[in-house]
Amino acid sequence: MHSVLSHPLVDHRVALLRDRATPPKLFRELASEITEFLAFEALGDLRTAEIPVETPLKKTTGRKIADRIVLVPILRAGMGMLDAMLRILPYAKVGVLGMQRNEDTAEPIPYYAKVPPAQGDELAIVIDPMLATGGSACDAVRQLRKLGYKRIKFLCLISAPEGIGKFEAEFPDVPVWTAAKDSYLNSHHYIVPGLGDAGDRIFGTL
Ligand code: PRP
Ligand code: URA
């Protein structure tokens, strides 16, 4: 299952994010803002528990988030979404997965993994701005499954139909949330129209 966020506030920011003239500072701010909107939509089914609350007028009840959450950015570009996720989920744990695409084949090459094993029914939220061939996302979810995670969501800013197709075929039970579903991958496995290399644009390494 995949969902494409459709909202004027998101579309406006995605257009600026794509613009080649957008400098890294603004790119990072836009990526963060879009991530917050994505998370708002994607986490509507978080479990909550009732808590007592005393207002200045009366005792009442409220709800607090009951899910334990592990955020999993795929290095390095996933770091561009982490601050926003931690802002809205300040008690989440963080695990990281390092992956670099082979420039010729686009196969992901895992180079680092530091994710706490699942202890129960935690929700793992994988974050990466780009879902292109789907190789990195699928590898990440495979690693999380081996660590015992059963509940997983994948959040990205821009996706390609090829990557969504591959991901959904292997993980039909892992929902994908994206701010834009683009047209196709070019011969270098880049998303078109896309935004170029997300990592380079976040870290200013173009
Ligand atoms: C980018 C992006 C994803 C991956 C997506 O990372 O951040 O992780 O490519 O492509 P895929 O769907 O074809 O696997 P990249 O390998 O460029 O590394 P970086 O984040 O270190 O720049
Ligand atoms: N990774 C990126 O950063 N951009 C793409 O278009 C594809 C993979």
Side-chain angles (χ1 to χ4, degrees), residues 34-66:
I34 297 166
T35 300
E36 287 194 19
F37 288 120
L38 259 184
F40 183 82
E41 287 293 322
L43 301 180
D45 59 353
L46 281 186
R47 298 167 182 167
T48 59
E50 191 172 286
I51 49 164
V53 177
E54 201 169 332
T55 80
L57 303 180
K58 191 177 183 320
K59 285 185 178 166
T60 181
T61 56
R63 305 202 68 78
K64 70 167 187 180
I65 291 170

PDB file of all heavy atoms in Angstrom, residues 34-66:
ATOM      1  N   ILE A  34       8.382  19.160   4.979  1.00  0.00           N
ATOM      2  CA  ILE A  34       7.596  18.140   4.273  1.00  0.00           C
ATOM      3  C   ILE A  34       7.533  16.861   5.115  1.00  0.00           C
ATOM      4  O   ILE A  34       6.500  16.188   5.188  1.00  0.00           O
ATOM      5  CB  ILE A  34       8.203  17.852   2.878  1.00  0.00           C
ATOM      6  CG1 ILE A  34       8.141  19.106   2.006  1.00  0.00           C
ATOM      7  CG2 ILE A  34       7.456  16.704   2.193  1.00  0.00           C
ATOM      8  CD1 ILE A  34       9.015  19.032   0.756  1.00  0.00           C
ATOM      9  N   THR A  35       8.646  16.552   5.779  1.00  0.00           N
ATOM     10  CA  THR A  35       8.672  15.360   6.634  1.00  0.00           C
ATOM     11  C   THR A  35       7.620  15.461   7.733  1.00  0.00           C
ATOM     12  O   THR A  35       6.935  14.480   8.060  1.00  0.00           O
ATOM     13  CB  THR A  35      10.074  15.183   7.249  1.00  0.00           C
ATOM     14  OG1 THR A  35      11.028  15.023   6.190  1.00  0.00           O
ATOM     15  CG2 THR A  35      10.129  13.967   8.164  1.00  0.00           C
ATOM     16  N   GLU A  36       7.465  16.646   8.317  1.00  0.00           N
ATOM     17  CA  GLU A  36       6.453  16.795   9.375  1.00  0.00           C
ATOM     18  C   GLU A  36       5.049  16.541   8.837  1.00  0.00           C
ATOM     19  O   GLU A  36       4.234  15.871   9.476  1.00  0.00           O
ATOM     20  CB  GLU A  36       6.547  18.189  10.005  1.00  0.00           C
ATOM     21  CG  GLU A  36       7.761  18.338  10.894  1.00  0.00           C
ATOM     22  CD  GLU A  36       7.700  19.573  11.786  1.00  0.00           C
ATOM     23  OE1 GLU A  36       6.606  20.121  12.001  1.00  0.00           O
ATOM     24  OE2 GLU A  36       8.774  19.991  12.245  1.00  0.00           O
ATOM     25  N   PHE A  37       4.771  17.080   7.650  1.00  0.00           N
ATOM     26  CA  PHE A  37       3.447  16.834   7.058  1.00  0.00           C
ATOM     27  C   PHE A  37       3.259  15.340   6.769  1.00  0.00           C
ATOM     28  O   PHE A  37       2.186  14.779   7.008  1.00  0.00           O
ATOM     29  CB  PHE A  37       3.279  17.626   5.755  1.00  0.00           C
ATOM     30  CG  PHE A  37       3.110  19.108   5.959  1.00  0.00           C
ATOM     31  CD1 PHE A  37       4.008  20.002   5.407  1.00  0.00           C
ATOM     32  CD2 PHE A  37       2.059  19.621   6.689  1.00  0.00           C
ATOM     33  CE1 PHE A  37       3.864  21.366   5.579  1.00  0.00           C
ATOM     34  CE2 PHE A  37       1.897  20.993   6.871  1.00  0.00           C
ATOM     35  CZ  PHE A  37       2.808  21.864   6.319  1.00  0.00           C
ATOM     36  N   LEU A  38       4.307  14.712   6.234  1.00  0.00           N
ATOM     37  CA  LEU A  38       4.229  13.275   5.926  1.00  0.00           C
ATOM     38  C   LEU A  38       3.928  12.478   7.188  1.00  0.00           C
ATOM     39  O   LEU A  38       3.066  11.601   7.200  1.00  0.00           O
ATOM     40  CB  LEU A  38       5.581  12.796   5.407  1.00  0.00           C
ATOM     41  CG  LEU A  38       5.835  12.595   3.919  1.00  0.00           C
ATOM     42  CD1 LEU A  38       7.236  12.024   3.733  1.00  0.00           C
ATOM     43  CD2 LEU A  38       4.807  11.694   3.272  1.00  0.00           C
ATOM     44  N   ALA A  39       4.679  12.804   8.250  1.00  0.00           N
ATOM     45  CA  ALA A  39       4.514  12.055   9.499  1.00  0.00           C
ATOM     46  C   ALA A  39       3.107  12.248  10.053  1.00  0.00           C
ATOM     47  O   ALA A  39       2.499  11.309  10.567  1.00  0.00           O
ATOM     48  CB  ALA A  39       5.563  12.505  10.513  1.00  0.00           C
ATOM     49  N   PHE A  40       2.602  13.456   9.954  1.00  0.00           N
ATOM     50  CA  PHE A  40       1.254  13.732  10.453  1.00  0.00           C
ATOM     51  C   PHE A  40       0.253  12.788   9.794  1.00  0.00           C
ATOM     52  O   PHE A  40      -0.604  12.191  10.454  1.00  0.00           O
ATOM     53  CB  PHE A  40       0.896  15.200  10.155  1.00  0.00           C
ATOM     54  CG  PHE A  40      -0.442  15.615  10.681  1.00  0.00           C
ATOM     55  CD1 PHE A  40      -0.595  15.988  12.001  1.00  0.00           C
ATOM     56  CD2 PHE A  40      -1.560  15.614   9.856  1.00  0.00           C
ATOM     57  CE1 PHE A  40      -1.836  16.365  12.491  1.00  0.00           C
ATOM     58  CE2 PHE A  40      -2.799  15.979  10.333  1.00  0.00           C
ATOM     59  CZ  PHE A  40      -2.937  16.363  11.659  1.00  0.00           C
ATOM     60  N   GLU A  41       0.361  12.614   8.487  1.00  0.00           N
ATOM     61  CA  GLU A  41      -0.562  11.736   7.753  1.00  0.00           C
ATOM     62  C   GLU A  41      -0.278  10.260   8.038  1.00  0.00           C
ATOM     63  O   GLU A  41      -1.187   9.472   8.231  1.00  0.00           O
ATOM     64  CB  GLU A  41      -0.427  11.975   6.246  1.00  0.00           C
ATOM     65  CG  GLU A  41      -1.028  13.276   5.771  1.00  0.00           C
ATOM     66  CD  GLU A  41      -2.541  13.300   5.913  1.00  0.00           C
ATOM     67  OE1 GLU A  41      -3.182  12.269   5.670  1.00  0.00           O
ATOM     68  OE2 GLU A  41      -3.079  14.353   6.282  1.00  0.00           O
ATOM     69  N   ALA A  42       1.014   9.922   8.060  1.00  0.00           N
ATOM     70  CA  ALA A  42       1.382   8.509   8.133  1.00  0.00           C
ATOM     71  C   ALA A  42       1.154   7.910   9.520  1.00  0.00           C
ATOM     72  O   ALA A  42       1.038   6.696   9.660  1.00  0.00           O
ATOM     73  CB  ALA A  42       2.856   8.343   7.756  1.00  0.00           C
ATOM     74  N   LEU A  43       1.082   8.772  10.541  1.00  0.00           N
ATOM     75  CA  LEU A  43       1.026   8.242  11.907  1.00  0.00           C
ATOM     76  C   LEU A  43      -0.351   8.412  12.553  1.00  0.00           C
ATOM     77  O   LEU A  43      -0.483   8.386  13.779  1.00  0.00           O
ATOM     78  CB  LEU A  43       2.114   8.905  12.767  1.00  0.00           C
ATOM     79  CG  LEU A  43       3.540   8.690  12.220  1.00  0.00           C
ATOM     80  CD1 LEU A  43       4.571   9.360  13.100  1.00  0.00           C
ATOM     81  CD2 LEU A  43       3.841   7.208  12.076  1.00  0.00           C
ATOM     82  N   GLY A  44      -1.352   8.540  11.709  1.00  0.00           N
ATOM     83  CA  GLY A  44      -2.717   8.697  12.228  1.00  0.00           C
ATOM     84  C   GLY A  44      -3.218   7.471  12.967  1.00  0.00           C
ATOM     85  O   GLY A  44      -4.219   7.548  13.692  1.00  0.00           O
ATOM     86  N   ASP A  45      -2.546   6.332  12.796  1.00  0.00           N
ATOM     87  CA  ASP A  45      -2.996   5.109  13.465  1.00  0.00           C
ATOM     88  C   ASP A  45      -2.118   4.733  14.662  1.00  0.00           C
ATOM     89  O   ASP A  45      -2.165   3.594  15.136  1.00  0.00           O
ATOM     90  CB  ASP A  45      -3.050   3.943  12.466  1.00  0.00           C
ATOM     91  CG  ASP A  45      -1.691   3.675  11.828  1.00  0.00           C
ATOM     92  OD1 ASP A  45      -0.743   4.464  12.055  1.00  0.00           O
ATOM     93  OD2 ASP A  45      -1.567   2.670  11.093  1.00  0.00           O
ATOM     94  N   LEU A  46      -1.317   5.681  15.151  1.00  0.00           N
ATOM     95  CA  LEU A  46      -0.525   5.391  16.355  1.00  0.00           C
ATOM     96  C   LEU A  46      -1.453   5.027  17.504  1.00  0.00           C
ATOM     97  O   LEU A  46      -2.538   5.615  17.647  1.00  0.00           O
ATOM     98  CB  LEU A  46       0.314   6.612  16.765  1.00  0.00           C
ATOM     99  CG  LEU A  46       1.605   6.899  16.004  1.00  0.00           C
ATOM    100  CD1 LEU A  46       2.346   8.064  16.654  1.00  0.00           C
ATOM    101  CD2 LEU A  46       2.487   5.673  15.939  1.00  0.00           C
ATOM    102  N   ARG A  47      -0.982   4.094  18.338  1.00  0.00           N
ATOM    103  CA  ARG A  47      -1.795   3.705  19.496  1.00  0.00           C
ATOM    104  C   ARG A  47      -1.659   4.773  20.583  1.00  0.00           C
ATOM    105  O   ARG A  47      -0.573   5.325  20.796  1.00  0.00           O
ATOM    106  CB  ARG A  47      -1.300   2.378  20.049  1.00  0.00           C
ATOM    107  CG  ARG A  47      -1.426   1.246  19.039  1.00  0.00           C
ATOM    108  CD  ARG A  47      -0.635   0.053  19.517  1.00  0.00           C
ATOM    109  NE  ARG A  47      -0.692  -1.024  18.555  1.00  0.00           N
ATOM    110  CZ  ARG A  47       0.108  -2.091  18.588  1.00  0.00           C
ATOM    111  NH1 ARG A  47       1.011  -2.211  19.545  1.00  0.00           N
ATOM    112  NH2 ARG A  47      -0.006  -3.036  17.678  1.00  0.00           N
ATOM    113  N   THR A  48      -2.759   5.032  21.265  1.00  0.00           N
ATOM    114  CA  THR A  48      -2.730   5.997  22.364  1.00  0.00           C
ATOM    115  C   THR A  48      -3.361   5.380  23.612  1.00  0.00           C
ATOM    116  O   THR A  48      -4.095   4.397  23.531  1.00  0.00           O
ATOM    117  CB  THR A  48      -3.491   7.293  22.000  1.00  0.00           C
ATOM    118  OG1 THR A  48      -4.851   6.967  21.683  1.00  0.00           O
ATOM    119  CG2 THR A  48      -2.859   8.022  20.831  1.00  0.00           C
ATOM    120  N   ALA A  49      -3.050   5.989  24.750  1.00  0.00           N
ATOM    121  CA  ALA A  49      -3.622   5.517  26.022  1.00  0.00           C
ATOM    122  C   ALA A  49      -4.173   6.728  26.774  1.00  0.00           C
ATOM    123  O   ALA A  49      -3.620   7.837  26.676  1.00  0.00           O
ATOM    124  CB  ALA A  49      -2.550   4.830  26.850  1.00  0.00           C
ATOM    125  N   GLU A  50      -5.236   6.477  27.516  1.00  0.00           N
ATOM    126  CA  GLU A  50      -5.858   7.588  28.246  1.00  0.00           C
ATOM    127  C   GLU A  50      -4.987   7.997  29.443  1.00  0.00           C
ATOM    128  O   GLU A  50      -4.407   7.145  30.113  1.00  0.00           O
ATOM    129  CB  GLU A  50      -7.240   7.146  28.731  1.00  0.00           C
ATOM    130  CG  GLU A  50      -8.074   8.300  29.264  1.00  0.00           C
ATOM    131  CD  GLU A  50      -9.502   7.850  29.546  1.00  0.00           C
ATOM    132  OE1 GLU A  50     -10.258   7.658  28.568  1.00  0.00           O
ATOM    133  OE2 GLU A  50      -9.839   7.689  30.723  1.00  0.00           O
ATOM    134  N   ILE A  51      -4.892   9.313  29.661  1.00  0.00           N
ATOM    135  CA  ILE A  51      -4.153   9.807  30.841  1.00  0.00           C
ATOM    136  C   ILE A  51      -5.006  10.871  31.542  1.00  0.00           C
ATOM    137  O   ILE A  51      -5.805  11.559  30.894  1.00  0.00           O
ATOM    138  CB  ILE A  51      -2.797  10.445  30.464  1.00  0.00           C
ATOM    139  CG1 ILE A  51      -2.969  11.460  29.314  1.00  0.00           C
ATOM    140  CG2 ILE A  51      -1.772   9.404  30.101  1.00  0.00           C
ATOM    141  CD1 ILE A  51      -1.788  12.378  29.164  1.00  0.00           C
ATOM    142  N   PRO A  52      -4.849  10.990  32.861  1.00  0.00           N
ATOM    143  CA  PRO A  52      -5.569  12.060  33.557  1.00  0.00           C
ATOM    144  C   PRO A  52      -4.891  13.411  33.284  1.00  0.00           C
ATOM    145  O   PRO A  52      -3.669  13.484  33.194  1.00  0.00           O
ATOM    146  CB  PRO A  52      -5.426  11.676  35.028  1.00  0.00           C
ATOM    147  CG  PRO A  52      -4.214  10.807  35.082  1.00  0.00           C
ATOM    148  CD  PRO A  52      -4.055  10.155  33.749  1.00  0.00           C
ATOM    149  N   VAL A  53      -5.696  14.448  33.154  1.00  0.00           N
ATOM    150  CA  VAL A  53      -5.168  15.805  32.945  1.00  0.00           C
ATOM    151  C   VAL A  53      -5.963  16.752  33.830  1.00  0.00           C
ATOM    152  O   VAL A  53      -7.197  16.628  33.930  1.00  0.00           O
ATOM    153  CB  VAL A  53      -5.330  16.254  31.468  1.00  0.00           C
ATOM    154  CG1 VAL A  53      -4.853  17.692  31.284  1.00  0.00           C
ATOM    155  CG2 VAL A  53      -4.573  15.338  30.519  1.00  0.00           C
ATOM    156  N   GLU A  54      -5.268  17.662  34.489  1.00  0.00           N
ATOM    157  CA  GLU A  54      -5.970  18.653  35.300  1.00  0.00           C
ATOM    158  C   GLU A  54      -5.790  20.018  34.665  1.00  0.00           C
ATOM    159  O   GLU A  54      -4.672  20.545  34.600  1.00  0.00           O
ATOM    160  CB  GLU A  54      -5.397  18.635  36.730  1.00  0.00           C
ATOM    161  CG  GLU A  54      -6.345  19.215  37.729  1.00  0.00           C
ATOM    162  CD  GLU A  54      -5.889  18.937  39.168  1.00  0.00           C
ATOM    163  OE1 GLU A  54      -5.195  17.909  39.406  1.00  0.00           O
ATOM    164  OE2 GLU A  54      -6.206  19.759  40.026  1.00  0.00           O
ATOM    165  N   THR A  55      -6.843  20.577  34.152  1.00  0.00           N
ATOM    166  CA  THR A  55      -6.760  21.919  33.562  1.00  0.00           C
ATOM    167  C   THR A  55      -6.942  22.932  34.704  1.00  0.00           C
ATOM    168  O   THR A  55      -7.269  22.551  35.842  1.00  0.00           O
ATOM    169  CB  THR A  55      -7.858  22.141  32.498  1.00  0.00           C
ATOM    170  OG1 THR A  55      -9.087  22.459  33.169  1.00  0.00           O
ATOM    171  CG2 THR A  55      -8.044  20.929  31.613  1.00  0.00           C
ATOM    172  N   PRO A  56      -6.762  24.212  34.464  1.00  0.00           N
ATOM    173  CA  PRO A  56      -7.027  25.194  35.519  1.00  0.00           C
ATOM    174  C   PRO A  56      -8.483  25.146  36.000  1.00  0.00           C
ATOM    175  O   PRO A  56      -8.819  25.623  37.081  1.00  0.00           O
ATOM    176  CB  PRO A  56      -6.713  26.532  34.847  1.00  0.00           C
ATOM    177  CG  PRO A  56      -5.729  26.187  33.781  1.00  0.00           C
ATOM    178  CD  PRO A  56      -6.154  24.839  33.272  1.00  0.00           C
ATOM    179  N   LEU A  57      -9.370  24.528  35.222  1.00  0.00           N
ATOM    180  CA  LEU A  57     -10.796  24.524  35.566  1.00  0.00           C
ATOM    181  C   LEU A  57     -11.316  23.203  36.103  1.00  0.00           C
ATOM    182  O   LEU A  57     -12.253  23.164  36.885  1.00  0.00           O
ATOM    183  CB  LEU A  57     -11.628  24.873  34.320  1.00  0.00           C
ATOM    184  CG  LEU A  57     -11.294  26.197  33.641  1.00  0.00           C
ATOM    185  CD1 LEU A  57     -12.190  26.405  32.435  1.00  0.00           C
ATOM    186  CD2 LEU A  57     -11.459  27.351  34.626  1.00  0.00           C
ATOM    187  N   LYS A  58     -10.710  22.091  35.667  1.00  0.00           N
ATOM    188  CA  LYS A  58     -11.372  20.807  35.933  1.00  0.00           C
ATOM    189  C   LYS A  58     -10.430  19.635  35.684  1.00  0.00           C
ATOM    190  O   LYS A  58      -9.514  19.747  34.875  1.00  0.00           O
ATOM    191  CB  LYS A  58     -12.573  20.699  34.963  1.00  0.00           C
ATOM    192  CG  LYS A  58     -13.543  19.590  35.234  1.00  0.00           C
ATOM    193  CD  LYS A  58     -14.700  19.660  34.232  1.00  0.00           C
ATOM    194  CE  LYS A  58     -15.767  18.615  34.477  1.00  0.00           C
ATOM    195  NZ  LYS A  58     -15.352  17.325  34.839  1.00  0.00           N
ATOM    196  N   LYS A  59     -10.701  18.528  36.395  1.00  0.00           N
ATOM    197  CA  LYS A  59     -10.000  17.294  36.060  1.00  0.00           C
ATOM    198  C   LYS A  59     -10.662  16.692  34.826  1.00  0.00           C
ATOM    199  O   LYS A  59     -11.897  16.646  34.733  1.00  0.00           O
ATOM    200  CB  LYS A  59     -10.085  16.294  37.211  1.00  0.00           C
ATOM    201  CG  LYS A  59      -9.173  16.653  38.358  1.00  0.00           C
ATOM    202  CD  LYS A  59      -9.196  15.578  39.415  1.00  0.00           C
ATOM    203  CE  LYS A  59      -8.242  15.955  40.527  1.00  0.00           C
ATOM    204  NZ  LYS A  59      -8.394  15.180  41.732  1.00  0.00           N
ATOM    205  N   THR A  60      -9.828  16.227  33.893  1.00  0.00           N
ATOM    206  CA  THR A  60     -10.383  15.607  32.690  1.00  0.00           C
ATOM    207  C   THR A  60      -9.431  14.499  32.254  1.00  0.00           C
ATOM    208  O   THR A  60      -8.586  14.059  33.037  1.00  0.00           O
ATOM    209  CB  THR A  60     -10.598  16.661  31.573  1.00  0.00           C
ATOM    210  OG1 THR A  60     -11.157  16.021  30.429  1.00  0.00           O
ATOM    211  CG2 THR A  60      -9.317  17.348  31.169  1.00  0.00           C
ATOM    212  N   THR A  61      -9.562  14.036  31.043  1.00  0.00           N
ATOM    213  CA  THR A  61      -8.627  13.028  30.537  1.00  0.00           C
ATOM    214  C   THR A  61      -8.105  13.483  29.183  1.00  0.00           C
ATOM    215  O   THR A  61      -8.739  14.268  28.474  1.00  0.00           O
ATOM    216  CB  THR A  61      -9.301  11.650  30.354  1.00  0.00           C
ATOM    217  OG1 THR A  61     -10.425  11.805  29.496  1.00  0.00           O
ATOM    218  CG2 THR A  61      -9.732  11.074  31.688  1.00  0.00           C
ATOM    219  N   GLY A  62      -6.942  12.977  28.853  1.00  0.00           N
ATOM    220  CA  GLY A  62      -6.365  13.217  27.539  1.00  0.00           C
ATOM    221  C   GLY A  62      -5.805  11.910  27.021  1.00  0.00           C
ATOM    222  O   GLY A  62      -6.060  10.853  27.604  1.00  0.00           O
ATOM    223  N   ARG A  63      -5.032  11.961  25.953  1.00  0.00           N
ATOM    224  CA  ARG A  63      -4.433  10.741  25.409  1.00  0.00           C
ATOM    225  C   ARG A  63      -2.956  10.977  25.156  1.00  0.00           C
ATOM    226  O   ARG A  63      -2.550  12.057  24.751  1.00  0.00           O
ATOM    227  CB  ARG A  63      -5.140  10.319  24.115  1.00  0.00           C
ATOM    228  CG  ARG A  63      -6.641  10.155  24.277  1.00  0.00           C
ATOM    229  CD  ARG A  63      -7.232   9.252  23.218  1.00  0.00           C
ATOM    230  NE  ARG A  63      -6.847   7.862  23.326  1.00  0.00           N
ATOM    231  CZ  ARG A  63      -7.375   6.995  24.196  1.00  0.00           C
ATOM    232  NH1 ARG A  63      -8.312   7.360  25.038  1.00  0.00           N
ATOM    233  NH2 ARG A  63      -6.959   5.748  24.217  1.00  0.00           N
ATOM    234  N   LYS A  64      -2.165   9.973  25.463  1.00  0.00           N
ATOM    235  CA  LYS A  64      -0.737  10.056  25.142  1.00  0.00           C
ATOM    236  C   LYS A  64      -0.374   8.905  24.213  1.00  0.00           C
ATOM    237  O   LYS A  64      -1.064   7.865  24.185  1.00  0.00           O
ATOM    238  CB  LYS A  64       0.110   9.992  26.408  1.00  0.00           C
ATOM    239  CG  LYS A  64       0.113   8.641  27.075  1.00  0.00           C
ATOM    240  CD  LYS A  64       1.217   8.565  28.120  1.00  0.00           C
ATOM    241  CE  LYS A  64       1.295   7.137  28.652  1.00  0.00           C
ATOM    242  NZ  LYS A  64       2.299   6.917  29.643  1.00  0.00           N
ATOM    243  N   ILE A  65       0.694   9.098  23.462  1.00  0.00           N
ATOM    244  CA  ILE A  65       1.121   8.060  22.523  1.00  0.00           C
ATOM    245  C   ILE A  65       1.636   6.856  23.318  1.00  0.00           C
ATOM    246  O   ILE A  65       2.479   7.004  24.212  1.00  0.00           O
ATOM    247  CB  ILE A  65       2.195   8.602  21.571  1.00  0.00           C
ATOM    248  CG1 ILE A  65       1.551   9.630  20.639  1.00  0.00           C
ATOM    249  CG2 ILE A  65       2.834   7.480  20.750  1.00  0.00           C
ATOM    250  CD1 ILE A  65       2.501  10.422  19.815  1.00  0.00           C
ATOM    251  N   ALA A  66       1.093   5.699  22.986  1.00  0.00           N
ATOM    252  CA  ALA A  66       1.459   4.483  23.724  1.00  0.00           C
ATOM    253  C   ALA A  66       2.438   3.619  22.933  1.00  0.00           C
ATOM    254  O   ALA A  66       3.052   2.714  23.494  1.00  0.00           O
ATOM    255  CB  ALA A  66       0.202   3.685  24.049  1.00  0.00           C
TER     256      ALA A  66
END
